[in-house]
Amino acid sequence: MSDLTQRPDLFLGGAWVPPHEPQSADVVEAGTGEVFGSVAMAGTGDVDDAVAAARAALAGPWGAMSSAERAALVGAFAAELKSRGRDTAALVSRENGMPISFSGIVNGLAPAAITGYYAKLGAVLDDAEDVRPSPTGGDTLVVRRPVGVVAAVTPWNYPQALAIMKIAPALAAGCTVVLKPPPETALDAHVLSDAAEAVGLPAGVLNVIPGGREAGAYLVEHPGVDKVAFTGSTGAGRAIGEVAGRLLRPVTLELGGKSVALVADDADLDLFSAKLLGVSMPNNGQTCHAATRILAPRSRYDEVVAAVTDTVAGFRVGDPLDKATQIGPVVSSAQRDRVLSYVELGRSEGRLTTGGGAPDRPGWFVEPTVFADVDNSARIAQEEIFGPVLVVTPYADEDEAIAIANDSDFGLGGVVWSADPDHGLALARRIHTGSVGVNHYELHINAPFGGVKASGLGRELGPEGLAPYLETTSIYRA
Ligand code: NAD
């Protein structure tokens, strides 16, 4: 097996090739602040080559296969990912600080499961052509085709799952892919290259070219690209959406969030506390759907603030590779500084109840932090912090809670805590968001995930996540 930490080449056209311009980036271990790897970075000439390889594969063997043949390869690709899962999980923990107990699930197991799911959906696509009778006689044959070459641009926080949520449906639909991962998590992206190579995906079906923002922008705008699938910040999403609009190029945008945890007056606070880490602070808070705005009824306000504070104060902060760790470091020194600047702001926008600093240790750690008495108009209640920081906001009655919940630019996740599931569901229905949980929050492979408002356009996962990679032609027959 290749050295997972040294990647001097790009993976394109089925081969490992050095970049045209010799460029590389150091990969820094979030838990230590030390360089632990190096990765080749793509420039514009490499993007050109990767897109050309993807176009050639589409016109060549991949495009000529039946959906069942392609699905068999996608299924084998899933098995390759699964066999590498343990190493991949550890690699990501070193790159972005994700606690290994969590990384084992989302980077180790989920990518293979998602890929296997889409292999099954894709296998029957050729048989899924449907004939629709016409009211005026004759019928219409609805033919589905792959949309073409997909540019997949991904962030560092859930690097494997977010890449696979694009690659797996794209390949199952018969598309080819150019993946542009960010430098912070470029090492784990090449596990996808290894798996593609091992399984014998035809050359150019999956191309992996790590790079910066410029390479991403060049790829998104490339004339050889047919569809863009992006996950990242709302700012970058707006820029990409503008390009896609000008080019009339289909685009999926999974963007930022600032989701609520609405604690109803009948909530079971033991359950709420037990699940707080996974729902409101997963991955050290570096999670787009984290429920970071906690809305507490005035009738139980002190009780809720105490539950949040005690629970967060008890989180075990430590080495992300230690199975007992609940909160690891954030991804980079720049991200730590950004989070700490919000913590400083929070001192004037709320009442600090726990945390509020950076532990004295190497690596990019931020203490898990809670601010109570935060008005929903405060910046720490409105802006995505993307670190281990929660805010608690009081509400008088449920109408006010719903108004506060929906008073946000974002709409990605959310959760309602109520001992009565029907009550919880009734509240969940009133939150304007792409996904919301009742007494838990967990993405499901077969249910669409995505945002409303500034959280994005389109959906991933489920059959809805396959649809953007297919286009239809209606053939009217007399
Ligand atoms: P980012 O937007 O800075 O970068 C994401 C990717 O886009 C990187 O590969 C980057 O190189 C590239 N990029 C940046 N600007 C670009 C441009 N103009 N054109 C083309 N490519 C460009 O985001 P990040 O800091 O890496 O990730 C964190 C953000 O991602 C957070 O806002 C988070 O909420 C969001 N996110 C959303 C979801 C979701 O499903 N909605 C999931 C995870 C993360």
Side-chain angles (χ1 to χ4, degrees):
M1 192 172 70
S2 53
D3 181 350
L4 298 182
T5 65
Q6 301 299 322
R7 299 288 192 168
D9 296 320
L10 306 167
F11 184 71
L12 61 89
W16 291 96
V17 294
H20 284 285
E21 304 290 329
Q23 304 178 83
S24 64
D26 287 339
V27 183
V28 176
E29 183 152 0
T32 64
E34 305 286 335
V35 173
F36 82 108
S38 171
V39 67
M41 297 277 283
T44 54
D46 308 304
V47 176
D48 290 340
D49 290 352
V51 173
R55 287 229 76 81
L58 198 62
W62 191 246
M65 279 182 199
S66 69
S67 61
E69 287 169 326
R70 281 193 306 254
L73 279 169
V74 176
F77 182 59
E80 288 292 336
L81 294 179
K82 192 171 180 185
S83 71
R84 292 165 165 75
R86 192 181 289 262
D87 290 339
T88 310
L91 194 58
V92 176
S93 292
R94 297 182 76 186
E95 291 171 320
N96 73 4
M98 184 184 292
I100 188 70
S101 57
F102 188 45
S103 189
I105 299 167
V106 296
N107 297 300
L109 297 174
I114 294 168
T115 306
Y117 170 80
Y118 281 110
K120 282 209 186 84
L121 285 191
V124 295
L125 277 176
D126 284 353
D127 307 327
E129 287 188 353
D130 61 294
V131 177
R132 302 183 190 177
S134 157
T136 54
D139 60 26
T140 299
L141 176 66
V142 180
V143 177
R144 289 181 175 76
R145 307 177 200 281
V147 74
V149 171
V150 174
V153 179
T154 49
W156 44 260
N157 61 333
Y158 288 77
Q160 284 284 305
L162 294 171
I164 279 297
M165 281 156 68
K166 298 161 182 55
I167 293 168
L171 299 191
C175 297
T176 57
V177 176
V178 178
L179 172 69
K180 203 295 289 172
E184 293 88 342
T185 51
L187 294 175
D188 75 79
H190 277 315
V191 173
L192 303 167
S193 312
D194 293 340
E197 196 176 30
V199 86
L201 283 187
V205 168
L206 175 63
N207 307 275
V208 180
I209 52 165
R213 180 170 292 234
E214 301 72 26
Y218 185 75
L219 173 63
V220 162
E221 197 153 4
H222 200 287
V225 165
D226 299 303
K227 175 189 162 52
V228 176
F230 173 75
T231 298
S233 61
T234 294
R238 285 190 205 282
I240 290 170
E242 281 182 23
V243 171
R246 172 160 49 78
L247 298 174
L248 296 178
R249 183 167 288 171
V251 63
T252 313
L253 301 171
E254 299 282 1
L255 310 178
K258 191 79 186 180
S259 301
V260 286
L262 196 171
V263 182
D265 57 6
D266 62 352
D268 172 347
L269 290 187
D270 290 338
L271 183 69
F272 164 78
S273 299
K275 295 197 175 180
L276 191 68
L277 177 70
V279 171
S280 291
M281 214 182 263
N283 193 20
N284 322 324
Q286 304 178 123
T287 300
C288 52
H289 56 69
T292 51
R293 290 192 290 149
I294 295 169
L295 309 188
R298 286 200 189 279
S299 57
R300 299 182 70 188
Y301 186 66
D302 292 345
E303 216 187 324
V304 174
V305 171
V308 177
T309 302
D310 292 350
T311 306
V312 169
F315 287 157
R316 282 187 299 276
V317 178
D319 177 356
L321 292 171
D322 182 341
K323 281 193 183 129
T325 292
Q326 294 176 299
I327 298 285
V330 297
V331 68
S332 62
S333 61
Q335 184 68 8
R336 183 188 56 179
D337 293 347
R338 186 170 172 274
V339 174
L340 287 174
S341 74
Y342 275 108
V343 170
E344 279 318 297
L345 175 66
R347 293 176 192 277
S348 59
E349 290 190 330
R351 171 169 58 91
L352 181 71
T353 65
T354 187
D360 182 19
R361 56 180 295 165
W364 320 127
F365 288 86
V366 177
E367 286 168 0
T369 297
V370 177
F371 290 102
D373 309 348
V374 177
D375 189 88
N376 193 51
S377 62
R379 281 183 57 204
I380 57 167
Q382 288 291 327
E383 298 176 17
E384 188 180 48
I385 298 175
F386 231 55
V389 182
L390 303 181
V391 303
V392 188
T393 300
Y395 69 83
D397 58 29
E398 285 182 355
D399 285 344
E400 190 188 16
I402 294 296
I404 295 172
N406 292 334
D407 179 15
S408 169
D409 287 345
F410 298 109
L412 186 59
V415 60
V416 177
W417 296 101
S418 166
D420 172 357
D422 291 337
H423 181 207
L425 179 60
L427 286 170
R429 287 183 193 277
R430 296 175 67 191
I431 299 179
H432 187 204
T433 184
S435 60
V436 56
V438 178
N439 293 325
H440 87 153
Y441 182 94
E442 203 172 83
L443 270 62
H444 289 173
I445 285 181
N446 61 7
F449 173 76
V452 298
K453 303 191 276 184
S455 291
L457 296 174
R459 295 292 180 267
E460 295 189 318
L461 297 179
E464 291 84 356
L466 180 64
Y469 297 96
L470 293 164
E471 58 189 19
T472 59
T473 299
S474 291
I475 303 177
Y476 309 123
R477 300 189 292 195

